[in-house]
Amino acid sequence: MKKINFKNIKFRMVQPSELTDRLLLLNLYITQVLTLIVGILILLFQSRNPIRLLTMPEGYVFIWWGLGFAAVVLVVDLLVSRIVPEDVTDDGGINQMLFGNRPIWHIALLSLIVAICEEMLFRGAIQHAFGPYWTSILFAAIHIRYLRHWVMTGLVFSISYGLGWIYIQTNTLWTPILAHFIIDFIMGCIIRYGRKEG
């Protein structure tokens, strides 16, 4: 059996222009699986059941909370994109590469995977230990491509704090999962099907 020489494995920062579609998707799927695993491990360390955390709540109030919060975020994002210069909202082209040529079913799948994995870790596990404020700082920090501009960093922090707040209000993880999914899905569809610059 061939041994893997871990000394030959090197990590380096990759520029968006160096990414292929396959590498970008692979990176996204791997990071989301790792996010989910870390979230589940933290929940188990906290003596909390990850399955119970995903139990569907009775009633439909959580849906209105999720839809309402997503609508507010999308309106604010639309206003910000009209007010601030385009370079301020630039993420290095990652979102365009991720959603620009993707079929709608794949945009939905990516949005669902990201919503479940990230909310399990951030709202389900980390917020339980540190509260919504510190969780949102960490959430903004991992969205490293936005850290170059304070407006985008502030938006990511605010969205994360809002997701934490609606989680507290409804006491179900499905509320931030639903809101996160809708935000990512609609933004992905806008990127994919929005007006082309001509």
Side-chain angles (χ1 to χ4, degrees):
M1 182 187 312
K2 187 175 179 181
K3 290 186 179 181
I4 298 174
N5 187 350
F6 289 101
K7 291 180 184 177
N8 290 335
I9 297 175
K10 294 180 181 167
F11 293 95
R12 68 179 179 88
M13 184 73 105
V14 176
Q15 297 302 316
S17 59
E18 297 177 77
L19 289 172
T20 63
D21 187 59
R22 185 169 184 259
L23 183 60
L24 182 63
L25 281 178
L26 184 65
N27 183 28
L28 182 126
Y29 284 125
I30 289 172
T31 56
Q32 293 308 309
V33 167
L34 291 175
T35 299
L36 183 62
I37 290 169
V38 170
I40 290 170
L41 289 174
I42 292 172
L43 287 166
L44 294 174
F45 182 75
Q46 294 171 341
S47 300
R48 296 169 65 220
N49 185 339
I51 304 297
R52 187 166 294 144
L53 199 59
L54 291 174
T55 302
M56 281 303 249
E58 292 182 20
Y60 299 101
V61 173
F62 79 98
I63 293 174
W64 296 114
W65 277 93
L67 290 172
F69 181 75
V72 168
V73 168
L74 292 166
V75 167
V76 168
D77 186 77
L78 178 67
L79 292 173
V80 167
S81 69
R82 296 202 184 270
I83 294 170
V84 302
E86 193 173 315
D87 65 310
V88 171
T89 60
D90 180 34
D91 70 340
I94 298 295
N95 284 337
Q96 181 61 43
M97 288 177 63
L98 192 58
F99 298 115
N101 295 312
R102 203 81 50 215
I104 196 163
W105 69 265
H106 205 172
I107 294 172
L109 178 65
L110 292 172
S111 300
L112 184 63
I113 289 170
V114 169
I116 291 171
C117 295
E118 289 187 1
E119 293 309 315
M120 179 74 85
L121 173 62
F122 288 98
R123 256 47 70 186
I126 296 174
Q127 181 169 310
H128 181 77
F130 299 107
Y133 178 78
W134 291 106
T135 300
S136 298
I137 288 177
L138 182 59
F139 188 82
I142 68 144
H143 287 78
I144 196 164
R145 64 187 191 269
Y146 296 120
L147 292 179
R148 293 178 292 157
H149 302 290
W150 66 268
V151 172
M152 293 308 293
T153 302
L155 277 175
V156 172
F157 172 87
S158 300
I159 291 167
S160 175
Y161 194 86
L163 290 168
W165 185 76
I166 63 174
Y167 175 45
I168 291 169
Q169 298 306 308
T170 60
N171 200 30
T172 175
L173 195 61
W174 285 107
T175 309
I177 287 173
L178 176 64
H180 197 150
F181 168 76
I182 292 169
I183 294 164
D184 286 358
F185 178 69
I186 290 178
M187 294 306 294
C189 287
I190 289 170
I191 291 167
R192 172 65 175 92
Y193 298 104
R195 261 183 288 170
K196 303 285 183 198
E197 302 275 331

